[in-house]
Amino acid sequence: KNKLMNIHEYQAKNILKDYGAPVSSGVVIYSINEIREKIRKLNGKEFVLKAQIHAGGRGKAGGVKLVKNILMMPKFISLYVNIIDSICEKVGRFVMYWVFFMMFLLILSFVTRNIINFPLMWIIEMAQFTITAYYLLGGGYSMLADDHVRMDLFYGRLSKKGKAKMDIFTSIFLIFYLVLLFLGSITSLIYTIETKQKLFTAWAPYVWPIKTLMLIGILLMLLQAFSTLFKDIANIKEKKI
């Protein structure tokens, strides 16, 4: 006499997997409290939630759902982080090549001053402007790549969550400092433009171009500081950006 065997989809997949058949990854969730722990094992951003019942037509009855962002930060935070990280990376990579322009200026200064005896009065100040813009505009990228210089006494011994908590604590002071620096740079730029400020040198260049670049560089660092803060919060909550 023929006997019917009623098994759930996940049970059928396990049987097929045991015999080497390719099946999609999945987990069985028995309680809502298990969702976060088991979903992490799948390491994905989108999932298909399927009710396990002995009946057909699950999809029409609402038993099959596409689920997104279970372990994701809010969408606006993810969008902010992705945009700011992309801007800082592009600006940083572009500014990296300015160091070659600065080296060219310094070599040109040496040649004109010491070899052909025709010194250019503007060249040293232009090199100083270039290196200043190089450091400030590249600040956001340095924060993104975590390549800035720091003294590490015990930070390296902390766990991933411990480092994130420490970074959040120190970010408060960094953001406060950058906000003050940003407000000060706005005031300084306005004053420079209104007074048509120049350097008291033989070349006497206007100061507003370099102060504008300083303002942009500080703004990028401030925005990147918030981006880093959001990523640290995501690490603590074990969520993805």
Side-chain angles (χ1 to χ4, degrees):
K1 189 175 181 179
N2 295 330
K3 292 184 178 181
L4 298 177
M5 180 175 61
N6 288 325
I7 60 175
H8 293 295
E9 180 183 353
Y10 78 91
Q11 294 170 323
K13 289 174 63 176
N14 288 337
I15 294 173
L16 292 172
K17 186 176 180 181
D18 290 339
Y19 283 91
V23 296
S24 57
S25 300
V27 292
V28 183
I29 298 174
Y30 297 97
S31 169
I32 193 172
N33 297 325
E34 299 176 345
I35 292 178
R36 289 187 179 277
E37 180 181 353
K38 290 191 174 181
I39 285 297
R40 291 192 190 99
K41 299 177 181 178
L42 299 178
N43 193 28
K45 295 182 178 180
E46 297 183 356
F47 310 93
V48 178
L49 178 65
K50 295 183 177 182
Q52 299 297 295
I53 57 174
H54 292 147
R58 289 178 301 170
K60 293 181 179 180
V64 179
K65 294 291 185 180
L66 178 63
V67 182
K68 300 181 180 180
N69 301 330
I70 293 180
L71 297 176
M72 296 286 289
M73 293 290 283
K75 189 174 182 179
F76 75 94
I77 291 181
S78 298
L79 184 63
Y80 173 87
V81 169
N82 291 331
I83 291 176
I84 296 303
D85 285 3
S86 178
I87 292 174
C88 287
E89 181 177 6
K90 286 180 172 59
V91 172
R93 290 187 178 277
F94 173 71
V95 171
M96 284 170 57
Y97 296 100
W98 288 16
V99 70
F100 297 107
F101 177 65
M102 184 198 66
M103 292 170 61
F104 166 76
L105 291 176
L106 295 177
I107 293 173
L108 181 62
S109 174
F110 173 81
V111 172
T112 56
R113 184 180 298 273
N114 298 289
I115 297 180
I116 64 177
N117 196 25
F118 188 77
L120 301 174
M121 62 181 179
W122 56 268
I123 202 163
I124 295 297
E125 288 172 294
M126 179 60 74
Q128 292 173 343
F129 286 163
T130 303
I131 196 64
T132 300
Y134 169 79
Y135 278 117
L136 288 172
L137 292 177
Y141 180 67
S142 296
M143 295 170 63
L144 173 63
D146 199 24
D147 285 338
H148 50 283
V149 178
R150 63 185 176 202
M151 185 174 65
D152 185 1
L153 296 178
F154 58 90
Y155 180 84
R157 302 177 185 177
L158 299 176
S159 64
K160 186 177 180 180
K161 280 189 177 181
K163 290 179 179 179
K165 291 178 181 178
M166 178 63 72
D167 288 339
I168 290 175
F169 175 71
T170 55
S171 291
I172 297 173
F173 302 98
L174 175 62
I175 291 173
F176 177 75
Y177 171 74
L178 288 174
V179 167
L180 292 181
L181 203 60
F182 179 65
L183 295 176
S185 63
I186 293 176
T187 304
S188 178
L189 178 59
I190 293 174
Y191 172 81
T192 297
I193 295 174
E194 290 178 346
T195 61
K196 298 180 180 180
Q197 185 181 9
K198 296 182 178 180
L199 288 181
F200 296 105
T201 61
W203 181 30
Y206 285 104
V207 182
W208 68 262
I210 189 61
K211 287 198 174 183
T212 301
L213 293 178
M214 290 172 61
L215 176 64
I216 295 173
I218 294 169
L219 176 60
L220 288 177
M221 285 190 284
L222 179 59
L223 295 175
Q224 186 58 51
F226 279 107
S227 175
T228 302
L229 175 62
F230 292 145
K231 285 183 279 190
D232 288 329
I233 294 174
N235 284 333
I236 290 178
K237 293 186 175 182
E238 296 184 352
K239 292 188 176 182
K240 297 179 180 179
I241 295 294

